[in-house]
Amino acid sequence: ASMATRKDALMRLVAAGATASATLVTVVDSAQAMATIDVNNAMAREFTAFPGLYPTVATKIVNAAKEQPFTSKKEVYAVLNEIEQERLRQYDKSIIIAKPDKALQQFKTSQICKYECGSRTSNSYRDEQIKAVQAA
């Protein structure tokens, strides 16, 4: 009876672990399923949410959308080579084709610049270094 009880307890633990793992996988899958990319209004860095797409695939899509906004997913895939198409295909459900929104694009650009274009400190430091080189 003791051996049967241990086996039963072990089976319950294994089942509980399997349920917890399945729940975790479901949460991760649903979180990834919610991520979307608006190809006509995206900045390249937004593609970092999709492993394998940044920087090459992202840059090609963003640059192509600037030249001629996409009207279909087929057009998005057309700007990529075969390997890049395969990488993008795994996120196909996440692709959104919306009309270009200049105000949204301008806002995104201003927010990126706010964090990545440098602060006054770094600009004044750079300016001091330039002056020092010019004076030498």
Side-chain angles (χ1 to χ4, degrees), residues 107-119 122:
F107 173 76
K108 287 180 179 181
T109 303
S110 71
Q111 296 306 300
I112 291 293
C113 194
K114 187 167 151 183
Y115 298 104
E116 295 183 4
C117 293
S119 64
S122 64

Side-chain angles (χ1 to χ4, degrees), residues 37-93:
I37 191 78
D38 174 358
V39 292
N40 284 329
N41 293 299
M43 298 186 75
R45 286 188 177 257
E46 291 177 65
F47 285 82
T48 59
F50 304 91
L53 299 186
Y54 182 83
T56 309
V57 174
T59 303
K60 284 186 175 183
I61 291 173
V62 169
N63 288 343
K66 285 178 186 173
E67 294 294 318
Q68 179 67 48
F70 297 110
T71 58
S72 69
K73 286 184 182 181
K74 186 177 179 179
E75 291 178 1
V76 177
Y77 284 98
V79 301
L80 305 172
N81 69 35
E82 197 173 320
I83 294 168
E84 295 162 346
Q85 289 173 6
E86 282 302 313
R87 285 189 188 162
L88 183 61
R89 219 168 259 120
Q90 63 186 322
Y91 306 109
D92 189 75
K93 291 179 181 175

